[in-house]
Amino acid sequence: MDYLNNKFVKSLNKDLLDKTVICKDTVEEVKDFKCNTIDTSKYVRLLSINDFLNSKVDDKGTFMADEDSALWLNTHSNDLVWQINGNNLSLAESTRALSVKPVIKLKTGVALLSGKGSLEDPYIIEKDNNDIQVGDYITLGEDKWVVYEVSKKNIKLT
């Protein structure tokens, strides 16, 4: 989190970003997950359990990871950290070297300038647009992001 919010965020245009919501609760069981304690002071966070659960296309997969992916989540249990392990959630030691997918939140009024939302032709954004959908790709600066949630107030990217 220190690297993402003190170094990585400097490569982004913060004029387009809103501060994101980070759940600070300890989660022992996914089925009992509720977020009661949040942090809204950061621009960048890691994927959460809810992000993963909302990305499930069916019982077989998610658009956030492939079968070989191992990604850190921002959620932890008492002594381990939650991770995406292929198409599943599991707990891992915090000393493991896993990949991360940073998540940002776009401000209301960010618009599509060009692009088709694919990896080859990602969206270029700047002002206001209602055509962006979950699974589309967006370019911010030199980085490509995938849309994983769209609401009236914001677009969440990973």
Short mmCIF file of all heavy atoms in Angstrom, two decimals, residues 97-122:
data_model
loop_
_atom_site.label_atom_id
_atom_site.label_comp_id
_atom_site.label_asym_id
_atom_site.label_seq_id
_atom_site.Cartn_x
_atom_site.Cartn_y
_atom_site.Cartn_z
N ALA A 97 5.67 -14.21 -2.59
CA ALA A 97 5.76 -13.24 -3.68
C ALA A 97 4.66 -13.53 -4.68
O ALA A 97 4.71 -14.51 -5.40
CB ALA A 97 7.13 -13.33 -4.34
N LEU A 98 3.62 -12.69 -4.68
CA LEU A 98 2.50 -12.84 -5.60
C LEU A 98 2.34 -11.56 -6.41
O LEU A 98 2.89 -10.51 -6.07
CB LEU A 98 1.20 -13.11 -4.83
CG LEU A 98 1.18 -14.36 -3.95
CD1 LEU A 98 -0.14 -14.43 -3.20
CD2 LEU A 98 1.40 -15.61 -4.76
N SER A 99 1.57 -11.63 -7.46
CA SER A 99 1.29 -10.46 -8.29
C SER A 99 0.25 -9.57 -7.63
O SER A 99 -0.48 -10.01 -6.74
CB SER A 99 0.76 -10.90 -9.66
OG SER A 99 1.71 -11.68 -10.33
N VAL A 100 0.18 -8.33 -8.09
CA VAL A 100 -0.85 -7.39 -7.62
C VAL A 100 -1.51 -6.77 -8.83
O VAL A 100 -0.92 -6.66 -9.90
CB VAL A 100 -0.28 -6.29 -6.70
CG1 VAL A 100 0.31 -6.86 -5.45
CG2 VAL A 100 0.72 -5.41 -7.43
N LYS A 101 -2.77 -6.39 -8.66
CA LYS A 101 -3.50 -5.60 -9.65
C LYS A 101 -4.02 -4.37 -8.92
O LYS A 101 -4.98 -4.46 -8.17
CB LYS A 101 -4.66 -6.40 -10.25
CG LYS A 101 -4.21 -7.47 -11.22
CD LYS A 101 -5.37 -7.99 -12.02
CE LYS A 101 -4.88 -8.97 -13.07
NZ LYS A 101 -5.94 -9.40 -13.95
N PRO A 102 -3.36 -3.24 -9.11
CA PRO A 102 -3.82 -2.03 -8.43
C PRO A 102 -5.23 -1.64 -8.89
O PRO A 102 -5.58 -1.85 -10.05
CB PRO A 102 -2.82 -0.96 -8.85
CG PRO A 102 -1.68 -1.69 -9.45
CD PRO A 102 -2.20 -3.00 -9.92
N VAL A 103 -6.01 -1.08 -7.99
CA VAL A 103 -7.37 -0.63 -8.29
C VAL A 103 -7.44 0.87 -8.03
O VAL A 103 -6.97 1.36 -7.01
CB VAL A 103 -8.39 -1.36 -7.38
CG1 VAL A 103 -9.79 -0.82 -7.58
CG2 VAL A 103 -8.34 -2.85 -7.62
N ILE A 104 -8.04 1.58 -8.99
CA ILE A 104 -8.27 3.01 -8.83
C ILE A 104 -9.75 3.29 -9.07
O ILE A 104 -10.47 2.45 -9.59
CB ILE A 104 -7.42 3.84 -9.82
CG1 ILE A 104 -7.74 3.46 -11.26
CG2 ILE A 104 -5.94 3.71 -9.51
CD1 ILE A 104 -7.10 4.34 -12.30
N LYS A 105 -10.19 4.46 -8.68
CA LYS A 105 -11.58 4.88 -8.87
C LYS A 105 -11.58 6.20 -9.64
O LYS A 105 -10.89 7.15 -9.25
CB LYS A 105 -12.23 5.06 -7.49
CG LYS A 105 -13.66 5.45 -7.50
CD LYS A 105 -14.16 5.44 -6.07
CE LYS A 105 -15.20 6.46 -5.82
NZ LYS A 105 -15.61 6.50 -4.42
N LEU A 106 -12.30 6.24 -10.75
CA LEU A 106 -12.37 7.45 -11.57
C LEU A 106 -13.42 8.41 -11.02
O LEU A 106 -14.46 7.99 -10.52
CB LEU A 106 -12.72 7.10 -13.01
CG LEU A 106 -11.71 6.22 -13.74
CD1 LEU A 106 -12.24 5.87 -15.13
CD2 LEU A 106 -10.36 6.87 -13.82
N LYS A 107 -13.14 9.69 -11.14
CA LYS A 107 -14.09 10.71 -10.72
C LYS A 107 -15.33 10.69 -11.61
O LYS A 107 -15.28 10.30 -12.77
CB LYS A 107 -13.46 12.10 -10.82
CG LYS A 107 -12.48 12.40 -9.73
CD LYS A 107 -11.99 13.82 -9.85
CE LYS A 107 -11.02 14.13 -8.72
NZ LYS A 107 -10.48 15.48 -8.84
N THR A 108 -16.42 11.15 -11.06
CA THR A 108 -17.64 11.36 -11.84
C THR A 108 -17.32 12.37 -12.94
O THR A 108 -16.63 13.34 -12.70
CB THR A 108 -18.76 11.91 -10.94
OG1 THR A 108 -18.98 10.99 -9.88
CG2 THR A 108 -20.04 12.12 -11.70
N GLY A 109 -17.81 12.11 -14.13
CA GLY A 109 -17.58 13.03 -15.23
C GLY A 109 -16.42 12.65 -16.12
O GLY A 109 -16.08 13.39 -17.04
N VAL A 110 -15.79 11.50 -15.88
CA VAL A 110 -14.71 11.04 -16.76
C VAL A 110 -15.34 10.43 -18.00
O VAL A 110 -16.29 9.67 -17.92
CB VAL A 110 -13.82 10.00 -16.04
CG1 VAL A 110 -12.81 9.40 -16.98
CG2 VAL A 110 -13.13 10.65 -14.85
N ALA A 111 -14.81 10.77 -19.19
CA ALA A 111 -15.45 10.36 -20.45
C ALA A 111 -14.51 9.60 -21.37
O ALA A 111 -13.31 9.69 -21.28
CB ALA A 111 -15.96 11.58 -21.19
N LEU A 112 -15.13 8.86 -22.27
CA LEU A 112 -14.43 8.13 -23.30
C LEU A 112 -14.05 9.07 -24.44
O LEU A 112 -14.90 9.74 -25.00
CB LEU A 112 -15.36 7.03 -23.83
CG LEU A 112 -14.91 6.26 -25.06
CD1 LEU A 112 -13.66 5.45 -24.73
CD2 LEU A 112 -16.02 5.37 -25.54
N LEU A 113 -12.75 9.13 -24.75
CA LEU A 113 -12.29 9.93 -25.88
C LEU A 113 -12.14 9.08 -27.13
O LEU A 113 -12.45 9.52 -28.23
CB LEU A 113 -10.94 10.59 -25.56
CG LEU A 113 -10.94 11.61 -24.44
CD1 LEU A 113 -9.53 12.15 -24.22
CD2 LEU A 113 -11.89 12.74 -24.74
N SER A 114 -11.64 7.85 -26.96
CA SER A 114 -11.47 6.94 -28.09
C SER A 114 -11.23 5.53 -27.58
O SER A 114 -11.12 5.30 -26.39
CB SER A 114 -10.29 7.39 -28.97
OG SER A 114 -9.08 7.27 -28.26
N GLY A 115 -11.14 4.58 -28.50
CA GLY A 115 -10.86 3.20 -28.15
C GLY A 115 -12.11 2.35 -28.14
O GLY A 115 -13.22 2.86 -28.08
N LYS A 116 -11.89 1.01 -28.20
CA LYS A 116 -13.00 0.06 -28.21
C LYS A 116 -13.11 -0.76 -26.93
O LYS A 116 -13.95 -1.63 -26.83
CB LYS A 116 -12.86 -0.87 -29.42
CG LYS A 116 -12.99 -0.13 -30.74
CD LYS A 116 -12.89 -1.07 -31.91
CE LYS A 116 -13.03 -0.29 -33.20
NZ LYS A 116 -12.88 -1.13 -34.37
N GLY A 117 -12.22 -0.53 -25.98
CA GLY A 117 -12.28 -1.25 -24.72
C GLY A 117 -11.60 -2.60 -24.74
O GLY A 117 -11.73 -3.38 -23.82
N SER A 118 -10.84 -2.90 -25.79
CA SER A 118 -10.11 -4.17 -25.87
C SER A 118 -8.67 -3.95 -25.42
O SER A 118 -8.21 -2.80 -25.27
CB SER A 118 -10.12 -4.70 -27.30
OG SER A 118 -9.36 -3.84 -28.13
N LEU A 119 -7.94 -5.03 -25.21
CA LEU A 119 -6.53 -4.91 -24.82
C LEU A 119 -5.74 -4.21 -25.93
O LEU A 119 -4.86 -3.40 -25.66
CB LEU A 119 -5.95 -6.31 -24.54
CG LEU A 119 -4.52 -6.34 -24.02
CD1 LEU A 119 -4.39 -5.57 -22.72
CD2 LEU A 119 -4.07 -7.78 -23.81
N GLU A 120 -6.06 -4.51 -27.19
CA GLU A 120 -5.36 -3.92 -28.32
C GLU A 120 -5.74 -2.45 -28.55
O GLU A 120 -4.94 -1.67 -29.05
CB GLU A 120 -5.63 -4.71 -29.61
CG GLU A 120 -5.14 -6.14 -29.58
CD GLU A 120 -6.04 -7.06 -28.76
OE1 GLU A 120 -7.26 -6.78 -28.64
OE2 GLU A 120 -5.51 -8.04 -28.21
N ASP A 121 -6.97 -2.08 -28.23
CA ASP A 121 -7.47 -0.72 -28.46
C ASP A 121 -8.24 -0.26 -27.22
O ASP A 121 -9.46 -0.11 -27.24
CB ASP A 121 -8.38 -0.71 -29.70
CG ASP A 121 -8.80 0.70 -30.11
OD1 ASP A 121 -8.15 1.67 -29.69
OD2 ASP A 121 -9.81 0.81 -30.84
N PRO A 122 -7.51 0.00 -26.11
CA PRO A 122 -8.19 0.37 -24.87
C PRO A 122 -8.85 1.74 -24.96
O PRO A 122 -8.49 2.56 -25.82
CB PRO A 122 -7.06 0.39 -23.84
CG PRO A 122 -5.84 0.64 -24.63
CD PRO A 122 -6.06 0.00 -25.97
#
